[in-house]
Amino acid sequence: MSLLNTGVLKVAPPAADMVELLDGGNSWEYGDWVEVIAATSADCNVAGICVGASSAYSNMEAEVEIGVGASGEEASIGLIRIYGPNSGTAHPGIYLLPVVTDTVDAGSRIALRYREHDVNLTPNVFGVLYYEGFDADISVPLTLTAAPLGTDSVSFTPNATAWANSAWVELSSGIGYSSLLAAIAPSNPSTTCDIEWDLGIGASGSEVVITTLRSAMMVSSRSGLLWYLNLPSLYPIDANVRVAARMRKSGTATDATTVSLLYYLNPVVPPTPPVPTDESSVIRILRQWGHFSDENFWIFWHEFELLMETGKGLVTGQGSDPVIEISYSNDYGHTFINAQNVSIGKIGEFRHRVRRLNLGRSRDRVWRLVCSEPIAITLLEATARISKGSS
Amino acid sequence: MAYQYTTNAQKTAPAAAVGAVVTPNNTAYANSAWATIQDPMTAASVLTGIAFRTTSTTVGQYEIDIGVGAAASEVVIATIKGMCYTLIGNSANGMYIPFAIPIDAIPNASRVAARLRTQGGSVTTWNISITYLEKPIVGSLQVTTHPTKVVPSAASLLNIQSGASSWANGTWGQLSASTSTDWIIAGVSVWSEGTHGFQYEADIGIGAAASEVVIATLKAGYCFQSSAPFLIMLPNPLDAIPLGSRVAMRVRTSASPPFHNWNFYVGLTYYEGPL
């Protein structure tokens, strides 16, 4: 899997002023979708957005949603949440998604809409960055979203002692689906300082640090760009895991600070069952087909492939490298032979193929699947490549 | 669908302390002394990013080297290049540069240090720190042993001008006459003295003069010029510059005069390929 890409990075609208977006007139109310690309000229992957502030802002929290579809039928393919302290000293805004969107088909209309804490009477301007011919082995057809969503970020008071931790603040009490943590959108202290953020998971009072982020702030008055701070890579968490953050920094400033979480939600994958604590709690599933035969002629089995949801392994422990046992019977289902554990994909290996090759011959065969992994198993169908003998 | 991930906890150095203090050389683009960030590292690690700040109030193009090794024997494992435009007061919050492909070049028990080159004229200190992941990496994270490099190197960003009318292309400015290896673009520096309502597009092109082919375009709107770090890192490094390529950039702007024929300063941070 490689992050390298040779496709061309393009912008829209090209060689023209960016489109103007207004919020909806109330705090955190979306304005109208505004078309950025009427019809993409080729398949593309959205890389991010560009922003220019037409009017002054201060402590701006905003969400920009990327949509695909005809006017009035836009479907969100991602959302970027940004924090900006002061437009008076902000630099040009280019906000690239941690992972490009899944492919947007040629001919698609791409639009943006936007909302923020304040009501902005003067439109800000936005554009889209996208790749044509994107060929890195990476994309997620999931929606980048935020917590909190559509409301103010979580506010807390930093510790007055240099490098002493703030209290943990909850960013998410737990999402009903597995997710991938991507970034935080924080505000910053009003003085020059170094800053560290811990992200933790676990119940209140029992948080375990899963990663630490670092940044720096220059000068007073909360100057600077709209921004967010990426994790070093996506961090997968299981369903219903509480996520919290805490901050420490140099200096003693105690200005109220805010933070929110950006993450990819995986709504198509059902919540992962809890990891069993002992063998007695493992659920064993078994699926067995009927008899495959053709006039009692020999059937030569070249390939058997199981089409199922893959890449849903757990982060650690049992289920982190899940397998399914594939075996068959050539004696009408009396005995099953040649059992083999076949990987069904570690977490994120969504392109993993579950198949076996060179599987002998039979006049009658019954296929059997057995799995006792603590993950949700979704079987779609099975295919086989065979040839019929002459006797 | 495919993505990279890791469940390793990112760490920082210095941890829970101010960044290593680096005093710039007063001479333009002369190296500062190395300043220790951490000695020793407690595990073999990969470099994931650099955080930095300064209280200088002078215009400041910067190049930051991260090095590994004993004092006087440091080997550069990463360089970044950008701009802290601080003429009217330093100001910026996002002073962190992440590497999409972390650099796997920090041995266990090694010393990690930083040094700095600037436009000169200021000896106001900078603070530099790093983020890293200890090995082994759990997950599917791509890393490289190749250091990042910058162009122009140990020199000011390349000065080019926008076109003579709104959205008219400026003249291509050459960053490299012929690359000595493949270049994989990790980040792009674009800076100008823009202000509210000012928009630009910057093209990166390869090919002979007058035959440049655009391989990437960035677009943004300025809010004001006084900020930093003016270095946009690409989540997907662009592997589109073969060995022997001429590399150039051009810009165009939206605004009415005086922003036509407007000065821009550009550069690249890249890996030498193939990775």
Side-chain angles (χ1 to χ4, degrees), chain B residues 57-120:
Chain B
T57 54
T58 358
V59 174
Q61 294 187 32
Y62 64 84
E63 291 181 10
I64 295 173
D65 289 336
I66 301 298
V68 169
S73 301
E74 296 88 351
V75 174
V76 175
I77 64 167
T79 303
I80 58 172
K81 182 182 186 72
M83 176 76 182
C84 288
Y85 187 74
T86 56
L87 194 58
I88 60 169
N90 56 345
S91 53
N93 57 355
M95 301 302 292
Y96 175 72
I97 301 299
F99 294 108
I101 301 179
I103 297 166
D104 182 6
I106 303 176
N108 182 29
S110 63
R111 169 179 173 267
V112 176
R115 71 179 179 187
L116 178 68
R117 293 176 291 280
T118 70
Q119 282 180 279

Side-chain angles (χ1 to χ4, degrees), chain A residues 3 5-6 9 13 15-18 50 88 90 139 141 163 188 194 196 210-212 214 216 218-219 225 227 233 350, chain B residues 1-6 9-10 12 14 16-19 53 90 92-93 96 129 142 167 199 201 217 219 224 236-237 239:
Chain A
L3 288 171
N5 161 63
T6 63
L9 180 61
D17 289 1
M18 292 190 270
C50 45
S139 69
W163 296 112
N188 275 312
D194 290 330
E196 290 182 357
I210 57 169
T211 202
T212 301
R214 184 161 178 129
M218 307 204 308
V219 93
L225 65 160
W227 79 305
S233 185
F350 300 106
Chain B
M1 178 169 89
Y3 58 83
Q4 296 198 1
Y5 78 97
T6 179
Q10 183 172 258
T12 66
V18 296
R53 62 181 167 89
N90 56 345
N93 57 355
Y96 175 72
S129 51
Q142 181 181 7
W167 297 114
Q199 299 174 30
E201 291 179 3
T217 303
K219 184 184 186 94
F224 209 66
N236 292 97
D239 186 8

Side-chain angles (χ1 to χ4, degrees), chain B residues 78-168:
Chain B
T79 303
I80 58 172
K81 182 182 186 72
M83 176 76 182
C84 288
Y85 187 74
T86 56
L87 194 58
I88 60 169
N90 56 345
S91 53
N93 57 355
M95 301 302 292
Y96 175 72
I97 301 299
F99 294 108
I101 301 179
I103 297 166
D104 182 6
I106 303 176
N108 182 29
S110 63
R111 169 179 173 267
V112 176
R115 71 179 179 187
L116 178 68
R117 293 176 291 280
T118 70
Q119 282 180 279
S122 172
V123 291
T124 303
T125 58
W126 292 52
N127 293 82
I128 300 174
S129 51
I130 64 167
T131 56
Y132 63 96
L133 298 168
E134 291 184 344
K135 295 168 68 177
I137 305 295
V138 177
S140 55
L141 192 64
Q142 181 181 7
V143 298
T144 179
T145 57
H146 292 209
T148 55
K149 299 192 172 186
V150 298
V151 62
S153 177
S156 293
L157 292 162
L158 177 67
N159 181 200
I160 56 177
Q161 290 188 328
S162 61
S165 60
S166 291
W167 297 114

Side-chain angles (χ1 to χ4, degrees), chain A residues 1-18 50-57 83 85 87-94 96-100 125 127 129 131 134 136-142 163 180 188 192-194 196 209-220 223-225 227 229-236 248 250 266 315 346-351, chain B residues 1-20 48 51-55 84 86 88-96 98-102 127-131 133 138 140-142 166-167 184 190 196-201 214-240 252 254-255 271 275:
Chain A
M1 188 181 299
S2 173
L3 288 171
L4 299 182
N5 161 63
T6 63
V8 180
L9 180 61
K10 296 189 171 188
V11 298
D17 289 1
M18 292 190 270
C50 45
V51 182
S54 303
S55 59
Y57 60 80
Y83 177 86
S87 60
T89 48
H91 93 327
I94 296 175
L96 298 175
L97 295 163
V99 183
V100 301
V125 294
L129 293 95
Y131 288 103
F134 184 80
D137 186 20
I138 186 166
S139 69
V140 284
L142 308 177
W163 296 112
L180 302 163
N188 275 312
T192 299
C193 63
D194 290 330
E196 290 182 357
V209 175
I210 57 169
T211 202
T212 301
L213 311 177
R214 184 161 178 129
S215 185
M217 173 75 188
M218 307 204 308
V219 93
S220 60
S223 309
L225 65 160
W227 79 305
L229 182 58
N230 283 338
L231 275 65
S233 185
L234 299 179
Y235 193 104
R248 55 188 170 271
S250 59
N266 193 355
V315 176
K346 296 179 182 177
I347 188 167
E349 294 179 346
F350 300 106
R351 295 177 181 174
Chain B
M1 178 169 89
Y3 58 83
Q4 296 198 1
Y5 78 97
T6 179
T7 53
N8 287 49
Q10 183 172 258
K11 298 189 173 185
T12 66
V18 296
T48 54
F52 57 99
R53 62 181 167 89
T54 181
T55 55
C84 288
T86 56
I88 60 169
N90 56 345
S91 53
N93 57 355
M95 301 302 292
Y96 175 72
F99 294 108
I101 301 179
N127 293 82
I128 300 174
S129 51
I130 64 167
T131 56
L133 298 168
V138 177
S140 55
L141 192 64
Q142 181 181 7
S166 291
W167 297 114
I184 299 164
V190 182
H196 285 294
F198 175 70
Q199 299 174 30
Y200 76 80
E201 291 179 3
V214 175
I215 59 171
T217 303
L218 295 177
K219 184 184 186 94
Y222 264 78
C223 298
F224 209 66
Q225 72 268 38
S226 177
S227 193
F230 289 102
L231 172 55
I232 302 296
M233 299 299 277
L234 303 177
N236 292 97
L238 184 59
D239 186 8
R252 50 190 171 269
S254 64
Y271 301 97
L275 295 184

Side-chain angles (χ1 to χ4, degrees), chain A residues 57-62 81-87 90 95 118 185-187 222-228, chain B residues 93:
Chain A
Y57 60 80
S58 178
N59 295 323
M60 173 182 173
E61 292 180 60
R81 186 179 177 111
I82 43 184
Y83 177 86
N86 185 348
S87 60
Y95 304 97
D118 296 316
S187 68
R222 298 189 169 216
S223 309
L225 65 160
L226 292 155
W227 79 305
Y228 51 82
Chain B
N93 57 355

Side-chain angles (χ1 to χ4, degrees), chain A residues 44 74 90 96 198 201 260 282 310:
Chain A
C44 67
E74 294 87 353
L96 298 175
D198 288 335
I201 58 175
S260 55
V282 173
T310 59

